[in-house]
PDB file of all heavy atoms in Angstrom:
ATOM      1  N   ALA A  47     -26.974   4.228  11.441  1.00  0.00           N
ATOM      2  CA  ALA A  47     -26.750   5.036  10.243  1.00  0.00           C
ATOM      3  C   ALA A  47     -25.906   4.311   9.185  1.00  0.00           C
ATOM      4  O   ALA A  47     -26.119   4.484   7.991  1.00  0.00           O
ATOM      5  CB  ALA A  47     -26.158   6.371  10.608  1.00  0.00           C
ATOM      6  N   ASP A  48     -24.967   3.504   9.652  1.00  0.00           N
ATOM      7  CA  ASP A  48     -24.068   2.808   8.672  1.00  0.00           C
ATOM      8  C   ASP A  48     -24.935   1.782   7.855  1.00  0.00           C
ATOM      9  O   ASP A  48     -24.703   1.659   6.672  1.00  0.00           O
ATOM     10  CB  ASP A  48     -22.964   2.086   9.467  1.00  0.00           C
ATOM     11  CG  ASP A  48     -22.072   3.024  10.204  1.00  0.00           C
ATOM     12  OD1 ASP A  48     -21.714   4.092   9.633  1.00  0.00           O
ATOM     13  OD2 ASP A  48     -21.644   2.706  11.334  1.00  0.00           O
ATOM     14  N   LEU A  49     -25.809   1.079   8.579  1.00  0.00           N
ATOM     15  CA  LEU A  49     -26.612   0.096   7.924  1.00  0.00           C
ATOM     16  C   LEU A  49     -27.572   0.775   6.910  1.00  0.00           C
ATOM     17  O   LEU A  49     -27.774   0.311   5.794  1.00  0.00           O
ATOM     18  CB  LEU A  49     -27.460  -0.705   8.905  1.00  0.00           C
ATOM     19  CG  LEU A  49     -26.741  -1.907   9.595  1.00  0.00           C
ATOM     20  CD1 LEU A  49     -25.505  -1.514  10.346  1.00  0.00           C
ATOM     21  CD2 LEU A  49     -27.722  -2.618  10.523  1.00  0.00           C
ATOM     22  N   LEU A  50     -28.144   1.943   7.271  1.00  0.00           N
ATOM     23  CA  LEU A  50     -29.039   2.693   6.458  1.00  0.00           C
ATOM     24  C   LEU A  50     -28.318   3.236   5.216  1.00  0.00           C
ATOM     25  O   LEU A  50     -28.807   3.163   4.114  1.00  0.00           O
ATOM     26  CB  LEU A  50     -29.699   3.812   7.231  1.00  0.00           C
ATOM     27  CG  LEU A  50     -30.666   3.362   8.288  1.00  0.00           C
ATOM     28  CD1 LEU A  50     -31.110   4.541   9.170  1.00  0.00           C
ATOM     29  CD2 LEU A  50     -31.910   2.681   7.688  1.00  0.00           C
ATOM     30  N   GLN A  51     -27.101   3.764   5.452  1.00  0.00           N
ATOM     31  CA  GLN A  51     -26.290   4.275   4.315  1.00  0.00           C
ATOM     32  C   GLN A  51     -25.947   3.192   3.312  1.00  0.00           C
ATOM     33  O   GLN A  51     -25.979   3.390   2.086  1.00  0.00           O
ATOM     34  CB  GLN A  51     -25.053   4.957   4.835  1.00  0.00           C
ATOM     35  CG  GLN A  51     -24.241   5.659   3.735  1.00  0.00           C
ATOM     36  CD  GLN A  51     -23.035   6.435   4.285  1.00  0.00           C
ATOM     37  OE1 GLN A  51     -23.102   6.935   5.366  1.00  0.00           O
ATOM     38  NE2 GLN A  51     -22.035   6.512   3.480  1.00  0.00           N
ATOM     39  N   ARG A  52     -25.631   2.011   3.852  1.00  0.00           N
ATOM     40  CA  ARG A  52     -25.308   0.917   2.957  1.00  0.00           C
ATOM     41  C   ARG A  52     -26.445   0.464   2.036  1.00  0.00           C
ATOM     42  O   ARG A  52     -26.170   0.014   0.916  1.00  0.00           O
ATOM     43  CB  ARG A  52     -24.910  -0.299   3.860  1.00  0.00           C
ATOM     44  CG  ARG A  52     -24.229  -1.442   3.154  1.00  0.00           C
ATOM     45  CD  ARG A  52     -24.290  -2.743   4.013  1.00  0.00           C
ATOM     46  NE  ARG A  52     -25.640  -3.273   4.087  1.00  0.00           N
ATOM     47  CZ  ARG A  52     -26.166  -3.760   5.237  1.00  0.00           C
ATOM     48  NH1 ARG A  52     -25.569  -3.720   6.356  1.00  0.00           N
ATOM     49  NH2 ARG A  52     -27.420  -4.229   5.145  1.00  0.00           N
ATOM     50  N   VAL A  53     -27.666   0.703   2.452  1.00  0.00           N
ATOM     51  CA  VAL A  53     -28.807   0.329   1.612  1.00  0.00           C
ATOM     52  C   VAL A  53     -29.402   1.498   0.866  1.00  0.00           C
ATOM     53  O   VAL A  53     -30.440   1.407   0.219  1.00  0.00           O
ATOM     54  CB  VAL A  53     -29.913  -0.407   2.387  1.00  0.00           C
ATOM     55  CG1 VAL A  53     -29.375  -1.729   2.966  1.00  0.00           C
ATOM     56  CG2 VAL A  53     -30.478   0.460   3.507  1.00  0.00           C
ATOM     57  N   GLY A  54     -28.782   2.710   1.024  1.00  0.00           N
ATOM     58  CA  GLY A  54     -29.198   3.875   0.250  1.00  0.00           C
ATOM     59  C   GLY A  54     -30.274   4.672   0.929  1.00  0.00           C
ATOM     60  O   GLY A  54     -30.932   5.513   0.227  1.00  0.00           O
ATOM     61  N   GLN A  55     -30.468   4.539   2.278  1.00  0.00           N
ATOM     62  CA  GLN A  55     -31.515   5.278   2.919  1.00  0.00           C
ATOM     63  C   GLN A  55     -31.056   6.438   3.784  1.00  0.00           C
ATOM     64  O   GLN A  55     -31.837   7.104   4.439  1.00  0.00           O
ATOM     65  CB  GLN A  55     -32.361   4.275   3.758  1.00  0.00           C
ATOM     66  CG  GLN A  55     -33.153   3.283   2.994  1.00  0.00           C
ATOM     67  CD  GLN A  55     -34.013   2.357   3.870  1.00  0.00           C
ATOM     68  OE1 GLN A  55     -34.147   2.588   5.049  1.00  0.00           O
ATOM     69  NE2 GLN A  55     -34.506   1.341   3.222  1.00  0.00           N
TER      70      GLN A  55
END
Side-chain angles (χ1 to χ4, degrees):
D48 299 319
L49 276 59
L50 292 171
Q51 185 175 329
R52 192 197 71 222
V53 298
Q55 293 181 11

